Amino acid sequence: MISGRTVLIVLFLLSAGQISAQVQKNVPLTVAKNARAQDSLHRHHRPPVPQKDITDKLHFLFKKKKTDTVVKEVQKLTWSILPAVGYTLTTRAAITFTGNAAFRTDTNVANTRISTITSSANYTENKQFSVPLETNIWSKGNKYNFVGDIHFMKYPQASFGLGTNSWIGNVDSMAYNYIRFYEIVYRQITPNFFAGGGYILDWRYHITYNNTRAPIPDDYELYGPQSTTLSTGFTLNALYDTRDNSINPYRGFYANLTYRDNLQFMGSNSNWQSTIIDVRKYFNFPQDSRNILALWNYDWLVLKGKPPYLDLPSTNWDTYSSTGRGYIQGRFRGDEMVDFETEYRFPLTADGFLGAVVFANAESFSGLDSHRLQQFQPGWGAGLRVKLNKTSRTNVDIDYGFGTQGSNGLFVNIGELW
């Protein structure tokens, strides 16, 4: 899935001085006192040379003066436009135009979190078209946080069956149109703890499918093919977040629990319930270094009922398309998904312009008509990081990943995947 976070290699920057709007797509930021403490920590670790990003390098290349100043806080509306091209296993070549805006609803910068609006238009070599709109709006005093995710997608995609025991050669083609509407409202309980609820809708229509092994039925046909599916209902949400930065954390803890209840009386094909447990931890390793060890557990579980096939938990279909590097989107699918990931991030240059990562993951899914997890499938690889914006710590990520059964490919992103 292409979204604001899967914008790929940047070719041209408009409003380069406003790139600071490339911030905060996960929810939420830490409070100001934690940010100030983190700033103090990184002043201690800061290298003796100014930090550089792509705009610094472009100014140097074209012999234009640019002063290395301390990052300024976002106080008024700032925006940026990023035309780009890139590549993923799912899309192949892709062309993307992304725009975003950042602002504060209160002039008291020290106590107000940054609100963001991000949108893009994407077209790929696989004839996939998508337009996402993602919003993260904070009320004055951070009392409420309104988080929205709206997508329209025209999306041809491969299907491999159910469970992690499925064979990569058993691939069938699917295509559909997809409309997503999510809106969640969080209420601050303590400085780092939030709770709330929302409305959620997934509507897929004009679904077509080609079984390459007909007349032998495959998992999709055995599960129950449908030409149109609608899953809609309410969510309950709880969030604890002490990260110093949501795009590229240096330290902190993040835990998000979502309970989803889809209801027939609201239009759903069936009544079904699911939960997502998302837990992340970041710390310096070694302690006094600039190297970051990141750990992630993402569990997506159907609790009761029978979701439509395309609404089942699936590889790389989490909100920011991050799970299972080394595998194509939708490679594994099932009622139950358990995913473990780790990544080691370290700088290659003292000015922070270049960095690198090594990563590993393992995920397991249940099979057809079962909630029992099958074998774990590992993924692993390495990647390069190029600093797009030092203000928000936004990187261009270029990773190459490997999986089992010969799965491998290039993965390119804007911002750390998690």
Side-chain angles (χ1 to χ4, degrees), residues 42 61 106 122 164 221 233 281 307 331 347 350 353 359 364 375:
H42 286 285
L61 180 64
D106 194 337
N122 315 288
T164 37
E221 293 169 317
K281 173 65 177 176
R331 171 62 186 91
F353 181 64
F359 61 86
S364 174
Q375 63 179 322

Side-chain angles (χ1 to χ4, degrees), residues 14 22 32 36 54 69 76 88 133 140 147 160 188 238 281 342 355-356 366 377:
L14 299 178
Q22 185 73 33
R36 288 194 295 269
I54 285 178
T69 59
K76 58 183 180 180
T88 69
L133 174 64
K140 291 184 178 181
V147 182
F160 300 86
Q188 187 180 53
K281 173 65 177 176
T342 184
S366 59
Q377 297 287 358

Side-chain angles (χ1 to χ4, degrees), residues 21-94:
Q22 185 73 33
V23 294
Q24 319 312 2
K25 300 189 63 183
N26 287 341
V27 182
L29 306 178
T30 54
V31 292
K33 66 179 183 180
N34 288 340
R36 288 194 295 269
Q38 183 62 17
D39 288 342
S40 175
L41 172 68
H42 286 285
R43 280 196 296 271
H44 175 73
H45 291 301
R46 184 174 296 160
V49 296
Q51 296 295 281
K52 302 289 185 180
D53 57 21
I54 285 178
T55 54
D56 293 314
K57 299 298 183 180
L58 289 175
H59 278 81
F60 176 80
L61 180 64
F62 293 103
K63 308 299 182 183
K64 293 183 179 181
K65 292 183 179 180
K66 185 174 188 295
T67 304
D68 292 296
T69 59
V70 176
V71 173
K72 295 182 179 180
E73 289 278 2
V74 174
Q75 299 185 41
K76 58 183 180 180
L77 177 66
T78 60
W79 57 275
S80 63
I81 299 175
L82 307 174
V85 298
Y87 180 89
T88 69
L89 282 176
T90 304
T91 65
R92 296 193 290 178

Side-chain angles (χ1 to χ4, degrees), residues 163-184:
T164 37
N165 292 342
S166 61
W167 179 249
I168 195 171
N170 294 338
V171 56
D172 298 308
S173 61
M174 300 188 73
Y176 52 86
N177 294 345
Y178 175 39
I179 293 175
R180 171 194 290 177
F181 182 89
Y182 298 173
E183 188 64 40
I184 298 169

Side-chain angles (χ1 to χ4, degrees), residues 231 260-262 270-274 302 304-308 311:
S231 296
R260 174 174 178 168
D261 191 2
N262 303 274
S270 62
N271 293 322
W272 61 275
Q273 296 78 42
S274 66
V302 175
K304 187 178 180 181
K306 185 176 181 179
D311 288 337

Side-chain angles (χ1 to χ4, degrees), residues 103 105 114-117 135-139 144-148:
F103 58 93
T105 57
I114 297 173
S115 297
T116 61
I117 300 173
T135 58
N136 181 13
I137 310 299
W138 290 92
S139 68
Y144 291 97
N145 182 213
F146 302 90
V147 182

Side-chain angles (χ1 to χ4, degrees), residues 174-223:
M174 300 188 73
Y176 52 86
N177 294 345
Y178 175 39
I179 293 175
R180 171 194 290 177
F181 182 89
Y182 298 173
E183 188 64 40
I184 298 169
V185 180
Y186 287 92
R187 174 69 161 87
Q188 187 180 53
I189 308 301
T190 69
N192 294 318
F193 179 68
F194 303 80
Y199 172 74
I200 195 165
L201 176 148
D202 291 290
W203 177 29
R204 290 177 171 89
Y205 58 98
H206 295 164
I207 301 172
T208 61
Y209 183 78
N210 179 32
N211 181 359
T212 59
R213 297 174 303 284
I216 301 173
D218 56 17
D219 283 354
Y220 176 68
E221 293 169 317
L222 293 172
Y223 187 86

Side-chain angles (χ1 to χ4, degrees), residues 391-407:
T391 302
S392 59
R393 304 183 196 166
T394 303
N395 293 327
V396 178
D397 306 345
I398 307 170
D399 298 333
Y400 201 92
F402 300 87
T404 57
Q405 301 179 14
S407 179

